[in-house]
């Protein structure tokens, strides 16, 4: 058994490193999003500042480790062997849960997961002990630190409402004072904002940083014999006042003399402070349990008492965490921050939900989100009616953005929101976290930063009529995921603890292998998906303002669509011929994705037209018509891929040999006369060759009509499956629609490429050919 506990300790050390990696990947959004979303600083600068904050915060986090030792359960009620099973069940559950949320790109709370995992595992172990001893299950409350656990859970839930409300109020007040034209405000106003923000962040760093060090525990002469930590606590008001005056003066000097953008400065130190808080507050979530296990193992080996008799009362005492372990943990966190791709994927969720104006909406609206938006609109209308008209107009002026020409750039190059909102996000989140940390409450930094960002977005009127229902649905999805985290963490930890306790060493080894396999599978799957997205030729939005520019840019999209159309059509025919359900399933996804991408281009039309020069408005008609034909083509392909998959998926009778043979003939004809030639024309810009494809239109239409007539004759003369006939007719008619859409597009392109060419001249050219 001694070897088993050593194995468990080694496994916990490995799990701690893995948990640090998956934890930082999820929690990086907490301190990166404001700086990244505002584009105030270069990404490299943001990463360097955040790395320094993480490294220092990790060293200052020792006090928070008590949560893992005695925050959730009463250590004195458990023996060493039981504690070790609790700890390893918690770590296995935690790493799998966090990796799952990273893979799907949703931010979740590492604090909530560790709290409910500790709660679930300790409750399961307590119930097992009570059952074995023949006690009453009501005694389970004696094993749990109910007061502290309740305090933590209530604190986490309250942080959601408080963070959202405070974030909204502070942002609304700030915007009313500074407006969107904040760079044109008097220097003293920006300096005052800088003083308030910077002094708040400085106080936050003092409370979170210096108070956590051993240096803060030593008496200092200039403080009258008080420790530095005690002096800070007893002179909070004075420290805040001095900070405010000093930083306001510094901000004014930086603005007036050195021409420094004070908002960038606030974002810089705010990012540092929030990274510091993250490492100090959340490090316990990743290594608190393994460190508690290490300290338990050391105490047990020195005692000489059997593991089943050694009480873990020692965990109730304050035990300092070795600085070396904190330093190593900080190093792992910093390395993960630089190397993890999943952290950037998770960050996109929050940034897009907080984005000002247009973005690709990831979440679909639901009934609940529609009710909330409608209710908010009604309440807003009521409040506007109660507010004096003159006051309301003065407030509305502050929320008007400076008029500017809409210039489309790639979404990754755009700022999702301005620097004022980014600064407010950082300051409010930092203050709320520092208050909680000073009371040793492991509140969720994810909940706080996310809800502050959502509150500031709402107050800043970033959620307009065009996006509100999608954004609210996204917030509800994320919050639902948070509650799911708690439920899954508790239940999974209970289950895994039971398996480990009754399976002993065999179960430990088996579950560790399962955990490694799942992590590797998720890693491989995510990398494969990322490579596919990167390699895929996605459709590009038009950015030109002239007809010739749009022709050039649209040519790339058309070539892309034709290439993918050939693959989708061919896979549908091959999948039906081979009854290959997996191929048809993938093909169905490709068809839906192509249709979705074209729909995104259509949603971009408004911004495209706004960007046109007065002399180039004709380009809008061409672009709209191009997208209309591409939409028709994509819808036909989407339908063909869906009905083909549905037919095989429902185990309907296979198409007959003659039907498949005829579909193969159409596939071959389309490949040579339509797809390959059209793709080559648009890739090489040989638009004069379009007439060659147009000449083949009648032949292809006639081929489709002949096959429809042949199938009608088959139905009348021989017994044929109704499902086969429906599928066959559907494919042929949609193929005809696909052909017409592509031919309409080619005729329009041929006509627009040379303005002298008219529909009549196209017909004349066909006759000559």
């Amino acid at each position: 058994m001694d070897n088993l506990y050593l194995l468990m300790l080694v496994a916990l050390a490995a799990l701690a490193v893995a948990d640090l990696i998956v934890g930082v990947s999820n929690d990086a959004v907490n301190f990166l999003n404001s700086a990244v979303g505002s584009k105030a600083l270069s990404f490299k600068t943001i990463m360097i500042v955040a790395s320094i904050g993480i490294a220092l915060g990790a060293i200052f986090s020792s006090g928070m480790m008590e949560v893992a030792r005695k925050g959730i359960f009463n250590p004195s009620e458990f023996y060493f062997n039981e504690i070790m099973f609790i700890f390893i069940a918690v770590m296995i559950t935690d790493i799998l849960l966090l990796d799952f949320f990273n893979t799907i790109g949703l931010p979740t709370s590492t604090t909530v997961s560790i709290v409910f995992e500790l709660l679930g595992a300790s409750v399961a172990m307590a119930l097992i002990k009570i059952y074995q001893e023949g006690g009453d299950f009501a005694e389970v409350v004696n094993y749990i630190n109910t007061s502290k656990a309740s305090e933590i859970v209530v604190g986490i839930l309250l942080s959601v409402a408080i963070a959202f409300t405070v974030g909204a109020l502070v942002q609304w007040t700030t915007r009313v004072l500074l407006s969107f034209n904040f760079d044109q405000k008097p220097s003293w106003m920006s300096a005052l904002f800088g003083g308030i923000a910077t002094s708040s962040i400085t106080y936050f760093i003092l409370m979170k940083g210096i108070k956590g060090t051993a240096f803060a525990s030593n008496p200092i002469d200039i403080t009258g014999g008080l420790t530095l930590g005690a002096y800070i606590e007893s002179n909070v008001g004075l420290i805040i006042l001095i900070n405010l005056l000093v930083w306001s003066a510094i901000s004014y000097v930086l603005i007036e003399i050195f021409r420094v953008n004070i908002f960038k400065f606030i974002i810089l130190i705010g990012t540092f402070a929030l990274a510091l808080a993250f490492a100090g507050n959340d490090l316990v979530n990743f290594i608190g349990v393994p460190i508690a296990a290490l300290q338990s193992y050391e105490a047990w080996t020195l005692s000489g008492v059997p593991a089943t008799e050694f009480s873990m009362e020692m965990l109730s005492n304050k035990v300092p965490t070795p600085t070396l372990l904190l330093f190593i943990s900080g190093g792992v966190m910093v390395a993960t921050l630089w190397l993890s791709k999943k952290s950037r994927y998770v960050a996109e969720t929050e940034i897009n939900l907080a984005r000002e104006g247009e973005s690709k909406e990831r979440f679909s609206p639901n009934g609940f989100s529609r009710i909330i938006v409608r209710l908010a609109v009604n309440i807003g209308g009521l409040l506007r009616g109660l507010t004096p008209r003159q006051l309301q107009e003065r407030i509305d002026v502050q929320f008007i953005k400076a008029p500017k020409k809409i210039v489309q750039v790639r979404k990754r190059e755009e700022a999702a929101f301005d620097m004022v909102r980014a600064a407010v996000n950082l300051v409010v989140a930092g203050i709320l976290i520092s208050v909680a940390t000073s009371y040793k409450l492991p509140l969720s930094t994810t909940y706080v930063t996310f809800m502050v960002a959502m509150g500031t977005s709402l107050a800043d009127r970033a959620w307009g009529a065009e996006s509100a229902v999608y954004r609210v649905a996204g917030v509800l999805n994320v919050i639902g995921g948070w509650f799911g985290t708690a439920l899954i963490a508790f239940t999974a930890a209970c289950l895994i603890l039971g398996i480990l306790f009754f399976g002993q060493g065999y179960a430990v080894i088996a579950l560790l292998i399962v955990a490694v396999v799942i992590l590797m599978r998720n890693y491989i799957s995510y990398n494969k998906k990322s490579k596919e997205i990167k390699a895929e030729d996605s459709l590009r939005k038009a950015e030109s303002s002239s007809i010739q520019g749009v022709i050039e840019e649209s040519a790339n999209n058309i070539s892309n669509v034709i290439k993918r159309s050939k693959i989708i059509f061919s896979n549908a025919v091959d999948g039906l011929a081979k009854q290959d359900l997996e191929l048809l399933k993938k093909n169905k996804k490709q068809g839906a994705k192509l249709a979705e991408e074209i729909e995104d281009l259509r949603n971009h039309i408004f911004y495209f037209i706004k960007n046109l020069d007065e002399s180039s408005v004709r380009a809008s008609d061409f672009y709209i018509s191009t997208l209309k034909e591409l939409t028709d083509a994509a819808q036909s392909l989407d339908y063909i891929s869906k009905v083909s998959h549905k037919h095989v998926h429902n185990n309907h009778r296979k198409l007959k040999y003659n039907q498949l043979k005829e579909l193969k003939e159409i596939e071959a004809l389309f490949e040579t006369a339509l797809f390959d030639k059209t793709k080559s024309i648009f890739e090489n810009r040989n638009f004069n060759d379009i007439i060659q494809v147009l000449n083949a239109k009648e032949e292809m239409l006639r081929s489709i009509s002949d096959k429809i007539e042949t199938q009608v004759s088959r139905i009348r003369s021989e017994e044929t499956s109704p499902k086969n006939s429906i599928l066959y007719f559907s494919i042929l008619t949609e193929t005809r629609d696909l052909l017409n859409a592509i031919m309409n597009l080619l005729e329009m392109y041929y006509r627009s490429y040379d303005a002298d060419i008219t529909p009549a001249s196209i017909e004349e050219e066909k006759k000559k050919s």
Side-chain angles (χ1 to χ4, degrees):
M1 288 296 291
D2 291 1
N3 291 333
L4 172 62
Y5 301 129
L6 182 60
L7 169 65
M8 293 169 74
L9 191 65
V10 172
L12 282 167
L15 288 171
V17 175
D19 207 30
L20 277 170
I21 294 171
V22 296
V24 172
S25 296
N26 191 279
D27 276 7
V29 299
N30 299 336
F31 50 87
L32 291 180
N33 279 358
S34 292
V36 172
S38 65
K39 303 293 182 185
L41 307 163
S42 69
F43 187 74
K44 186 176 181 180
T45 301
I46 295 169
M47 294 290 282
I48 292 172
V49 170
S51 299
I52 296 171
I54 287 177
L56 294 177
I59 297 172
F60 296 156
S61 64
S62 180
M64 293 299 296
M65 295 298 162
E66 296 175 33
V67 175
R69 289 195 291 266
K70 58 181 181 179
I72 304 300
F73 56 84
N74 294 319
S76 59
E77 297 292 334
F78 296 98
Y79 294 117
F80 172 71
N81 65 318
E82 297 164 344
I83 283 289
M84 290 298 287
F85 282 117
I86 289 175
F87 286 161
I88 198 161
V90 166
M91 290 303 292
I92 290 175
T93 306
D94 196 57
I95 193 171
L96 293 178
L97 186 62
L98 292 181
D99 188 68
F100 167 74
F101 275 94
N102 289 346
T103 302
I104 63 175
L106 281 181
T108 191
S109 170
T110 55
T111 304
V112 168
S113 63
I114 201 72
V115 165
F116 279 90
E117 285 153 6
L118 282 167
L119 188 61
S122 54
V123 165
M125 182 56 74
L127 291 174
I128 291 172
K129 287 191 66 172
I130 292 170
Y131 176 77
Q132 290 178 339
E133 295 170 2
D136 187 350
F137 286 126
E139 297 174 9
V140 72
V141 294
N142 298 328
Y143 293 83
I144 307 301
N145 187 350
T146 52
S147 60
K148 186 66 175 179
S150 301
E151 184 182 355
I152 291 170
V153 172
V154 171
I156 288 171
L157 293 176
L158 282 177
S159 68
V160 174
I162 293 172
F164 184 86
T165 305
V166 174
L169 289 175
V170 173
Q171 178 62 35
W172 186 85
T173 304
T174 303
R175 188 64 73 189
V176 168
L177 294 174
L178 294 177
S179 79
F180 277 96
N181 300 314
F182 55 88
D183 52 346
Q184 299 175 11
K185 294 293 179 181
S187 297
W188 67 266
M189 189 175 288
S190 297
L192 181 60
F193 178 81
I196 295 171
T198 313
S199 59
S200 300
I201 293 170
T202 305
Y203 173 71
F204 163 45
I205 293 173
L206 288 172
M207 291 296 293
K208 180 64 208 83
I210 295 178
K211 280 188 64 184
T213 63
F215 174 69
S217 303
N218 300 324
I220 301 176
D221 293 337
I222 61 172
T223 63
L226 293 173
T227 63
L228 184 56
Y231 182 80
I232 291 173
E233 284 189 348
S234 59
N235 294 276
V236 170
L238 179 62
I239 291 172
I240 291 176
L241 179 60
I242 293 174
N243 257 316
L244 178 59
L245 295 174
V246 170
W247 280 114
S248 295
I250 292 174
S251 298
Y252 188 79
V253 171
L254 289 174
I255 294 170
E256 280 295 304
I257 298 177
F258 296 99
R259 301 298 176 186
V260 172
N261 186 325
I262 197 64
F263 297 98
K264 288 187 177 183
F265 180 70
I266 294 169
I267 292 169
L268 184 74
I269 63 172
T271 300
F272 166 79
L274 209 54
L276 182 86
F278 154 73
N281 193 76
D282 283 17
L283 186 59
V284 61
N285 302 337
F286 314 131
I287 68 168
V289 168
I291 286 178
L294 173 63
Q295 292 167 342
S296 302
Y297 182 81
E298 289 174 343
W300 170 68
T301 53
L302 292 174
S303 69
V305 178
T308 54
E309 300 176 10
F310 182 65
S311 172
M312 296 311 300
E313 190 173 357
M314 54 81 57
L315 287 178
S316 300
N317 304 320
K318 188 169 184 179
V319 183
T321 305
T323 304
L324 178 61
L325 291 179
L326 296 176
F327 182 78
I328 293 172
S329 300
V332 173
M333 294 168 83
V334 170
T336 302
L337 182 65
W338 283 90
L339 299 175
S340 174
K341 295 179 181 178
K342 286 187 178 181
S343 63
R344 299 172 194 180
Y345 180 46
V346 176
E348 288 178 5
T349 299
E350 182 179 319
I351 290 175
N352 283 332
L353 286 175
R355 185 178 293 278
E356 182 76 39
E358 179 213 15
S359 73
K360 183 178 179 180
E361 304 297 347
R362 176 180 170 185
F363 300 95
S364 299
N366 52 56
F368 197 24
S369 69
R370 293 186 183 100
I371 291 172
I372 291 175
V373 171
R374 195 171 293 115
L375 182 63
V377 169
N378 292 336
I379 293 174
L382 179 64
L383 293 175
R384 289 181 71 89
L386 296 174
T387 306
R389 182 177 177 182
Q390 188 175 8
L391 176 60
Q392 186 62 56
E393 288 176 352
R394 292 182 65 180
I395 292 173
D396 289 341
V397 167
Q398 299 298 87
F399 285 86
I400 296 175
K401 300 174 185 64
K404 59 182 180 180
K405 187 176 182 65
I406 297 179
V407 178
Q408 285 293 323
V409 294
R410 290 188 185 180
K411 193 58 65 181
R412 290 186 181 181
E413 297 173 359
E414 292 181 348
F417 38 81
D418 68 2
M419 288 183 279
V420 170
R421 176 135 61 99
V424 170
N425 286 346
L426 292 165
V427 171
V428 173
I431 290 173
L432 292 175
I433 293 169
S434 65
V435 171
T437 304
S438 65
Y439 288 103
K440 293 288 191 295
L441 286 177
L443 94 171
S444 169
T445 54
T446 300
Y447 287 13
V448 170
T449 53
F450 181 84
M451 294 310 295
V452 166
M454 296 305 101
T456 57
S457 302
L458 177 65
D460 220 19
R461 303 184 182 180
W463 297 354
E466 306 291 336
S467 60
V469 70
Y470 302 99
R471 306 290 173 86
V472 173
V475 173
L476 292 175
N477 272 275
V478 172
I479 293 177
W482 293 346
F483 285 103
T485 299
L487 181 62
I488 295 169
F490 183 90
T491 307
C494 282
L495 179 63
I496 290 177
L497 185 282
I499 295 172
L500 289 171
F501 186 80
F502 291 109
Q504 295 290 308
Y506 296 109
V508 172
I509 295 172
L511 282 176
L512 288 173
I513 292 172
V514 169
V516 170
V517 170
I518 292 174
L519 289 174
M520 289 301 297
R521 189 190 66 178
N522 287 347
Y523 176 78
I524 293 170
S525 174
Y526 179 81
N527 277 355
K528 183 179 178 182
K529 182 180 177 182
S530 299
K531 288 177 180 177
E532 286 176 354
I533 293 173
K534 188 175 181 180
E536 192 174 76
D537 296 325
S538 298
L539 303 182
R540 298 288 180 87
K541 296 175 182 177
E543 298 173 5
S544 296
S545 58
S546 66
I547 182 71
Q548 292 304 317
V550 173
I551 286 175
E552 180 67 22
E553 290 181 344
S554 296
N556 294 324
N557 282 341
I558 293 170
S559 174
N560 185 319
V561 170
I562 296 299
K563 180 179 73 174
R564 292 161 69 178
S565 298
K566 174 185 173 181
I567 295 171
I568 293 169
F569 188 81
S570 177
N571 285 344
V573 176
D574 289 345
L576 286 171
K578 300 174 183 176
Q579 295 287 283
D580 190 337
L581 184 61
E582 188 63 29
L583 175 62
L584 292 172
K585 183 179 178 181
K586 291 180 180 178
N587 199 49
K588 177 184 171 185
K589 290 180 180 178
Q590 289 301 314
K593 191 172 188 308
L594 178 61
E596 182 184 348
E597 286 185 29
I598 294 175
E599 182 62 27
D600 285 342
L601 295 183
R602 288 171 67 89
N603 293 336
H604 166 259
I605 287 175
F606 170 81
Y607 300 94
F608 167 74
I609 294 173
K610 291 280 284 185
N611 194 42
L612 285 176
D613 296 326
E614 288 296 328
S615 59
S616 303
V617 177
R618 180 169 165 256
S620 62
D621 180 52
F622 177 84
Y623 188 58
I624 291 169
S625 300
T626 299
L627 292 183
K628 184 263 180 188
E629 301 302 340
L630 288 177
T631 300
D632 289 346
Q635 287 175 346
S636 295
L637 288 165
D638 187 32
Y639 185 81
I640 290 171
S641 62
K642 283 179 179 177
V643 295
S644 301
H645 172 264
K646 181 181 178 182
H647 186 86
V648 176
H649 191 49
N650 289 339
N651 294 309
H652 293 315
R653 192 176 299 172
K654 184 179 178 180
L655 290 180
K656 292 189 173 183
Y657 173 78
N658 287 335
Q659 292 172 321
L660 290 171
K661 180 184 176 184
E662 290 165 0
L663 287 178
K664 279 289 187 181
E665 289 173 358
I666 292 177
E667 179 193 349
L669 179 61
F670 270 45
E671 183 174 330
T672 55
L674 181 65
F675 293 137
D676 288 346
K677 286 186 177 180
T678 304
K679 177 173 172 288
S680 175
I681 287 168
F682 284 95
E683 276 185 350
N684 302 317
R685 308 297 193 264
N686 296 327
F687 300 122
N688 287 325
D689 294 341
I690 288 177
I691 195 66
Q692 298 175 12
V693 182
L694 294 175
N695 287 336
K697 178 181 178 180
E698 293 302 323
E699 178 189 356
M700 289 184 279
L701 284 174
R702 188 166 52 251
S703 175
I704 295 171
S705 297
D706 290 344
K707 287 165 177 54
I708 291 175
E709 291 176 6
T710 301
Q711 179 63 18
V712 170
S713 300
R714 276 198 290 260
I715 292 174
R716 295 178 64 84
S717 62
E718 60 186 81
E719 185 179 349
T720 308
S721 166
K723 296 292 184 184
N724 280 16
S725 296
I726 293 171
L727 173 66
Y728 191 64
F729 282 135
S730 297
I731 292 175
L732 289 176
T733 53
E734 289 299 329
T735 301
R736 182 165 56 194
D737 291 345
L738 169 66
L739 175 62
N740 285 326
I742 295 175
M743 288 298 175
N744 291 341
L745 183 66
L746 289 171
E747 288 185 6
M748 181 182 64
Y749 233 93
Y750 191 58
R751 185 165 59 247
S752 299
Y753 179 67
D754 187 339
D756 295 331
I757 297 179
T758 63
S761 65
I762 291 177
E763 293 300 321
E764 185 65 29
E765 187 69 27
K766 286 181 185 179
K767 292 176 182 178
K768 290 180 179 177
S769 300

